[in-house]
Amino acid sequence: MTTATVNPPGSRPTSRRLTRDELRAAFNKRILTWLSIGIFVFLYLPILILIIYSFNENKIVGVWTGFSLNWYQELFKDAALLNSLQVSLWVAFWSTILSTILGTLAAIVLERFRFWGKLTYDAVLYLPIIIPDIVMALSTLLFFVILNIPLSRYTILIAHVAFNISFVAVVVRARLADMDRRLEEAAADLGANEWLTFRRITLPLLTPGIVSGALLAFTLSLDDFVITFFVAGPGSTTLPVRVYSMIKFGVTPEVNAVSTLMFLGSTLLVVISLVLQRR
Amino acid sequence: MAQQLAVDLQNVTKQFGSVKAVDDISLGIQDGEFFSLLGPSGCGKTTTLRMIAGFEQPSEGEIYIHGQPVAGIPPYKRPVNTVFQSYALFPHMTVAQNVAFGLEMKKVAKAEITKRVTEALELVQLPQMSNRRPRQLSGGQQQRVALARALVNKPEVLLLDEPLGALDLKLRKAMQLELKQIQSEVGITFIYVTHDQEEALTMSDRIAVMSNGLVQQVGAPRDIYEHPANRFVADFIGETNFINGTVAGVNGLTTLAVGGVKMLGTADGRSLREGQKATLAIRPEKVSLAAPGQTKTNGKNKVTLTGEVQEAIYIGTDTRYRIHLVDNASIFVRVQNLGARYDTTFKVGDKVAVQWDAENAQILTE
């Protein structure tokens, strides 16, 4: 097999065969391209279909009869759904506030101070990130049952704060570890006491990390299903749990519509969080 | 009472775990002095500076700033300011906000702050940069801002931790002169940490040479260069030839016997006894060469020896020779290239007369 080559005028004709390495490289490149396309299709095609069918006029999923915003209108008439959205936002808001404060303090303590039992505290703090959700859910539920605490939106809040602290602490601590300690020394050298140094130097420099941690916490709280499902009390259903119970009565385009909105909301928050972390 | 010292360190030791970073040093720094702490990395110079600033507490000993003991006083209450090696400018503030920070902390009135910030930026020749962020400035400009940020507070003592370390050679040379000029302008005591001997010699009124947590010698640049107290100082500051031998006479000048040849030097007041092992230290530029039998003077304190050229390297301003004197003893000699032609120089294998003034040769122990 010879490859036809077009030579620029004046150059020596260099007709030659591709070497084995070149062939292999070209083959590998093609395989990798198709593999990555395949993976993205597998990941995102279902979501794309879900979004498309949220605009379907027909009630039966899989039968496209025409474009309609009807299901989005339906959403805003569904009192139970709106109630669960309200609970979701309430839990997400307060768990973000609390876990951001506690997580930031934990990050500062772990990064800036030395104390007895620090290593253990460090490991334990990050445990919620790696423990399976179902274990977290079950143990949290048992905790409430043993202490005889009735399940309500407050128990959801407590559970969400518990796992969100870890995520906020990880994000804030990464930012803190990157920060030059000399900046704080310079502030002290210029006459700022510990509090002023924190307020004028450390906190402003940490802000992008804290905001990014807070957005992450908000997203995780909005999206959580497993833990919430276990600790939610009667009348305090969150949006994901509500969607799950709707599916029991059949998948309607209304479920598609609410899922589409949740997907867009979460994506937006994650993008903002990533942009802030880059800064 | 004599004039009060700006900074007085008395038997200060700093221990990190089992390592003594600073080992029982005592230093008195005069008011208005440009004082350098010079030594290789890990010699304890930065730790000493950080103890004066208040970032570290001495394990033992006492530090006084203008007579006041400062033990236990946090950095933000000390009358000193620091210029950091990495500048440590606040990235989220403008140049003007950076410089104003110290005055704000002292609750100086707004109008006064504006006035003094402008003055400080003029002093370091950056008046037009006040609204920039630190990362928009070059290394040299950042360095000036760091200097202005410290000087604007009119500290009793300014501490500088290798402030020119990150700059390129040309800029560093220019900043050395500028720093010295600024110091004489503002009249503040400067304590300057550096590992660059040339920098220390250029700028300082006095230098403390440190190694292994100990002060090896304190003195004016000329003293340190011409009369090094020991082998470490002679070796660290500039280039020095060392010739090992045995003390063979201590009458006025000291005679050192090296492989059957007698060499004269000065002990500079150090007590030596005959038979003791010692080292003669002589700078390459203090030795002169001549054709055999053509030495200019044969003064009483002149040492004249015969040697053979082993190496001759032309390095522009000078020619650098390696001369073999006796077994196991050869020295480097720098001869300025004053002649217009090359034929005045010596070639490898030439026999030469080697001369030096005994006053320029230090006889050192250890």
Side-chain angles (χ1 to χ4, degrees), chain B residues 34 56 85 97 163 210 214 217 266:
Chain B
F34 197 123
E56 310 282 356
Q85 186 172 13
Q97 286 168 337
M210 291 183 72
L214 297 164
Q217 189 176 0
T266 172

Side-chain angles (χ1 to χ4, degrees), chain B residues 136-176:
Chain B
Q136 295 171 296
L137 304 181
S138 71
Q141 290 169 332
Q142 289 185 27
Q143 209 284 319
R144 286 156 193 268
V145 175
L147 188 64
R149 186 178 68 177
L151 280 174
V152 76
N153 304 295
K154 303 205 170 107
E156 288 177 25
V157 179
L158 186 72
L159 310 171
L160 302 104
D161 185 7
E162 307 226 14
L164 307 182
L167 304 181
D168 63 64
L169 187 67
K170 212 166 178 178
L171 195 56
R172 203 155 70 215
K173 296 257 185 207
M175 281 303 292
Q176 284 173 11

Side-chain angles (χ1 to χ4, degrees), chain A:
Chain A
M1 179 189 86
T2 45
T3 47
T5 51
V6 180
N7 296 302
S11 77
R12 222 150 41 88
T14 53
S15 167
R16 61 182 185 90
R17 287 162 189 275
L18 287 169
T19 65
R20 269 184 63 159
D21 281 352
E22 280 170 328
L23 276 171
R24 190 183 295 156
F27 185 66
N28 283 350
K29 199 176 161 192
R30 189 158 292 179
I31 282 196
L32 280 177
T33 308
W34 283 108
L35 200 60
S36 44
I37 290 173
I39 288 169
F40 278 112
V41 166
F42 179 73
L43 280 175
Y44 291 108
L45 193 63
I47 297 176
L48 191 67
I49 290 171
L50 177 135
I51 293 172
I52 290 169
Y53 276 99
S54 72
F55 299 106
N56 192 3
E57 190 186 48
N58 201 311
K59 195 175 166 69
I60 301 158
V61 176
V63 182
W64 181 267
T65 50
F67 181 84
S68 154
L69 288 173
N70 192 27
W71 299 110
Y72 287 88
Q73 285 170 357
E74 284 295 307
L75 271 185
F76 294 98
K77 290 183 205 149
D78 187 334
L81 197 70
L82 288 179
N83 182 53
S84 65
L85 176 67
Q86 192 259 330
V87 172
S88 264
L89 290 174
W90 183 88
V91 169
F93 178 78
W94 286 110
S95 75
T96 300
I97 299 278
L98 293 171
S99 62
T100 301
I101 294 169
L102 294 171
T104 301
L105 291 177
I108 290 169
V109 163
L110 283 173
E111 194 61 35
R112 287 287 189 262
F113 296 93
R114 299 172 72 176
F115 52 90
W116 189 85
K118 176 176 168 171
L119 203 66
T120 314
Y121 184 54
D122 204 347
V124 169
L125 182 66
Y126 294 143
L127 225 44
I129 296 176
I130 50 166
I131 293 179
D133 269 6
I134 190 75
V135 176
M136 278 284 286
L138 207 54
S139 52
T140 316
L141 176 63
L142 285 174
F143 171 78
F144 290 135
V145 169
I146 288 166
L147 291 184
N148 218 355
I149 298 169
L151 298 179
S152 65
R153 60 168 66 180
Y154 293 97
T155 49
I156 304 176
L157 175 62
I158 292 168
H160 282 205
V161 169
F163 70 75
N164 268 340
I165 286 177
S166 311
F167 287 94
V168 173
V170 168
V171 174
V172 174
R173 200 175 167 188
R175 181 92 192 174
L176 204 53
D178 278 348
M179 212 176 103
D180 187 0
R181 287 299 301 269
R182 297 274 149 136
L183 294 175
E184 287 166 353
E185 284 187 353
D189 186 73
L190 291 166
N193 59 26
E194 288 86 352
W195 165 245
L196 280 171
T197 301
F198 179 74
R199 204 172 58 93
R200 295 288 308 272
I201 307 299
T202 317
L203 199 57
L205 291 173
L206 272 188
T207 302
I210 294 172
V211 172
S212 144
L215 285 171
L216 185 66
F218 195 82
T219 316
L220 289 170
S221 174
L222 268 189
D223 292 356
D224 180 70
F225 173 75
V226 179
I227 295 168
T228 314
F229 186 69
F230 274 65
V231 298
S236 62
T237 320
T238 64
L239 199 54
V241 176
R242 174 69 199 156
V243 170
Y244 177 72
S245 57
M246 281 163 81
I247 291 172
K248 285 186 195 156
F249 304 106
V251 181
T252 63
E254 194 186 343
V255 173
N256 286 18
V258 71
S259 305
T260 301
L261 292 179
M262 284 169 69
F263 169 75
L264 290 177
S266 303
T267 310
L268 188 70
L269 290 175
V270 170
V271 168
I272 295 173
S273 163
L274 285 177
V275 167
L276 284 170
Q277 275 183 54
R278 284 266 177 83
R279 273 222 321 230

Side-chain angles (χ1 to χ4, degrees), chain B residues 185-206:
Chain B
E185 231 168 276
V186 295
I188 292 171
T189 311
F190 275 35
I191 303 182
Y192 192 98
V193 161
T194 181
H195 66 269
D196 183 336
Q197 41 116 354
E198 202 185 314
E199 198 164 283
L201 291 174
T202 309
M203 296 194 287
S204 318
D205 295 321
R206 281 196 306 151

Side-chain angles (χ1 to χ4, degrees), chain B residues 262-305:
Chain B
K262 293 216 180 329
M263 301 180 188
L264 267 182
T266 172
D268 249 351
R270 288 175 289 273
S271 63
L272 297 168
R273 51 187 168 71
E274 273 181 48
Q276 190 180 1
K277 295 267 179 227
T279 303
L280 182 140
I282 179 98
R283 305 276 184 197
E285 75 275 13
K286 306 276 190 197
V287 182
S288 61
L289 298 180
Q294 294 191 355
T295 50
K296 283 170 191 126
T297 50
N298 270 322
K300 188 172 70 162
N301 293 344
K302 278 272 187 208
V303 178
T304 308
L305 302 164

